[in-house]
């Protein structure tokens, strides 16, 4: 709030140097002196989920809501995120909000923020445990719970189908390696494979949370084998890419007599695929984190204590119970 002059000077410096800050908001006027200045480093725009997340944060941390938001899109590069955070520190913003691409590598820059006395709110993904005292609050998903839920659903479904002891060949398309959603969704699957001697991971490749990469890796896996029971994708973009490749290869994506596709996010398009039965289970990853961040900041402004971990509400959608009304009534 008190820091607009510094922000004006630094934003001007960014503008003159031409480095970073492409999406930086217009310079504030004096009428905006009471705005809370927030620097937000977003990891990129790799998925429909991410785009919704960005729009939500921007719409909630708005001027009407008492904020001046400085937005930076890191385009999937951790070094861009570090550079943006350093710029926010130089601008002496009131709060830093960031969605870390991966869990490691944040120690030095977060120490700089701490030394500058700027509270950091980590959103969406976590950072490694050793750095936990370097941020004020986390807002986002419980990715391990999401992974556990998906694996439990698969166990129950195979049991119901009478296939609990049959060989189950799983293709696993992973998200960005080292990111919390990848780790949280991968570990429960790998643990389940250890528990079930009849489950085997036939292929495990990185789809980087994108439809294009997933289509590419799935197509190449299909050149090696078409003996596939389950495709476990770590987001909807990957599921859509994998389904396109599977169908092109003549395989049916249908949990009753074809490939069982599991996905995460529950975006609108992902849920259309769930309604069509092409995605058997879609575990929600809620991108609407803006209201949670707003609540944390407003509490801090009032000098109230905040919860360190703030999980967003999430559910899941089963192809057997999802309805058109459910999709139409959703907020994103
Ligand atoms: O961190 C959230 C994950 O990242 C979402 O599952 C995915 O779609 C996004 O790109």
């Amino acid at each position: 709030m008190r820091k607009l002059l510094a922000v004006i000077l630094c934003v001007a410096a960014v503008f003159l140097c031409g480095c970073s800050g492409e999406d930086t908001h217009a310079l504030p006027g004096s009428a905006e002196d009471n705005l809370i200045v927030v620097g937000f480093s977003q990891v990129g725009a790799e998925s429909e989920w991410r785009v919704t997340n960005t729009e939500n944060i921007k719409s909630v941390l708005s001027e009407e809501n008492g904020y001046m938001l400085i937005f930076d899109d890191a385009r999937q590069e951790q070094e861009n995120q570090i550079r943006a955070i350093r710029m926010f520190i130089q601008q002496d913003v009131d709060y830093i909000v960031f969605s870390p691409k991966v869990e490691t590598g944040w120690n030095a820059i977060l120490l700089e923020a701490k030394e500058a006395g700027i509270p950091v709110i980590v959103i969406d993904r976590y950072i490694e445990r050793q750095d936990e005292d370097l941020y004020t609050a986390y807002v986002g998903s419980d990715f391990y719970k999401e992974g556990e839920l998906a694996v439990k659903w698969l166990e129950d479904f195979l049991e119901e189908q009478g296939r609990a002891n049959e060989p189950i060949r799983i293709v696993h398309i992973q998200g960005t390696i080292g990111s919390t959603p990848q780790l949280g969704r991968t570990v429960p699957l790998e643990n389940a494979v250890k528990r079930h001697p009849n489950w085997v991971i036939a292929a495990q490749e990185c789809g980087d949370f994108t439809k294009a990469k997933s289509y590419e890796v799935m197509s190449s896996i299909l050149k090696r084998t078409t003996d596939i029971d389950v495709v476990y994708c770590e987001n909807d973009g990957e599921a859509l890419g994998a389904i396109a490749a599977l169908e092109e290869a003549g395989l049916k994506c249908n949990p009753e007599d074809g490939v069982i596709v599991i996905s995460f996010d529950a975006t609108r398009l992902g849920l259309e695929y769930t309604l069509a039965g092409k995605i058997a289970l879609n575990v929600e990853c809620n991108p609407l984190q803006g209201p949670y961040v707003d609540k944390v900041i407003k509490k801090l402004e009032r000098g109230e204590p905040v919860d360190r971990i703030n999980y967003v509400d999430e559910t899941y959608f089963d192809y057997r119970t999802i309805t058109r009304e459910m999709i139409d009534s959703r907020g994103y």
Side-chain angles (χ1 to χ4, degrees):
M1 265 198 266
R2 316 157 292 280
K3 304 174 177 174
L4 284 177
L5 182 60
V7 171
I8 291 167
L9 293 173
C10 288
V11 169
V14 171
F15 181 72
L16 290 172
C17 297
C19 51
S20 181
E22 178 192 76
D23 293 305
T24 298
H25 282 202
L27 296 182
S30 56
E32 297 164 332
D33 281 354
N34 287 326
L35 296 178
I36 302 166
V37 183
V38 176
F40 172 36
S41 164
Q42 177 61 287
V43 68
E46 75 284 2
S47 61
E48 200 190 325
W49 185 99
R50 182 71 53 203
V51 172
T52 306
N53 178 253
T54 299
E55 284 168 2
N56 181 252
I57 300 282
K58 282 182 173 175
S59 72
V60 175
L61 302 190
S62 62
E63 284 194 17
E64 305 78 69
N65 251 339
Y67 293 97
M68 175 190 164
L69 185 68
I70 308 170
F71 175 76
D72 188 274
D73 176 344
R75 297 180 183 80
Q76 300 298 318
E77 298 294 338
Q78 182 172 27
E79 64 196 46
N80 289 345
Q81 289 204 278
I82 291 172
R83 199 176 305 127
I85 293 171
R86 185 160 290 125
M87 186 59 74
F88 298 151
I89 295 169
Q90 286 164 5
Q91 290 171 320
D92 198 18
V93 298
D94 294 306
Y95 296 90
I96 291 170
V97 174
F98 89 114
S99 168
K101 180 184 176 192
V102 291
E103 293 198 349
T104 55
W106 304 106
N107 189 273
I109 190 67
L110 293 186
L111 264 174
E112 286 179 36
K114 190 174 185 171
E115 277 159 19
I118 302 173
V120 172
I121 299 166
V122 177
I123 68 160
D124 168 29
R125 304 174 176 180
Y126 313 134
I127 56 174
E128 60 186 338
R129 190 155 284 182
Q130 66 172 54
D131 292 340
E132 276 177 356
D133 62 336
L134 297 179
Y135 64 89
T136 303
Y138 166 77
V139 169
S141 302
D142 184 342
F143 294 105
Y144 287 86
K145 191 168 155 199
E146 291 178 2
E148 295 282 1
L149 198 152
V151 166
K152 173 80 171 64
W153 183 92
L154 182 60
E155 286 171 335
D156 292 347
F157 186 73
L158 293 172
E159 179 88 42
E160 280 169 39
Q161 279 195 324
R163 299 171 68 189
N165 297 311
E166 282 180 16
I168 301 295
R169 291 174 55 79
I170 303 167
V171 168
H172 180 195
I173 313 282
Q174 295 178 288
T176 304
I177 302 301
S179 68
T180 316
Q182 179 269 311
L183 296 164
R185 295 164 186 170
T186 291
V187 172
L189 178 67
E190 290 183 342
N191 287 342
V193 169
K194 285 181 204 146
R195 283 198 305 275
H196 296 279
N198 56 317
W199 290 19
V200 62
I201 296 192
Q204 187 176 56
E205 303 271 353
C206 177
D208 229 354
F209 289 129
T210 70
K211 182 178 174 186
K213 182 80 189 296
S214 176
Y215 173 80
E216 185 189 313
V217 296
M218 190 72 231
S219 302
S220 104
I221 292 165
L222 285 162
K223 287 186 189 130
R224 305 199 294 272
T225 181
T226 53
D227 184 6
I228 299 166
D229 300 291
V230 176
V231 178
Y232 183 97
C233 297
E234 292 186 351
N235 80 344
D236 277 346
E238 291 183 349
L240 267 52
I243 290 168
L246 286 158
E247 291 185 338
E248 230 171 76
L251 272 72
K252 245 198 300 184
C253 296
N254 178 336
E256 323 240 317
D257 62 350
V259 178
I260 301 167
V261 178
I262 290 179
S263 182
F264 297 84
D265 280 359
T267 56
R268 194 164 286 270
L269 190 53
L271 290 183
E272 293 292 345
Y273 274 62
T274 311
L275 187 64
K278 292 187 180 199
I279 293 177
L281 173 74
N282 207 326
V283 181
E284 183 186 24
C285 180
N286 183 355
L288 306 183
Q289 296 166 355
Y292 295 80
V293 175
D294 174 45
K295 204 168 152 192
V296 168
I297 292 180
K298 295 278 167 69
K299 273 190 174 187
L300 290 169
E301 286 291 297
R302 292 193 296 268
E304 294 172 13
V306 295
D307 292 333
R308 266 184 68 73
I309 303 292
N310 302 270
Y311 289 130
V312 292
D313 290 334
E314 293 180 333
T315 183
Y316 66 94
F317 298 87
D318 181 316
Y319 80 99
R320 293 166 298 185
T321 49
I322 190 170
T323 62
R324 161 67 45 210
E325 292 68 40
M326 282 181 190
I327 300 179
D328 290 346
S329 66
R330 288 176 59 75
Y332 65 94

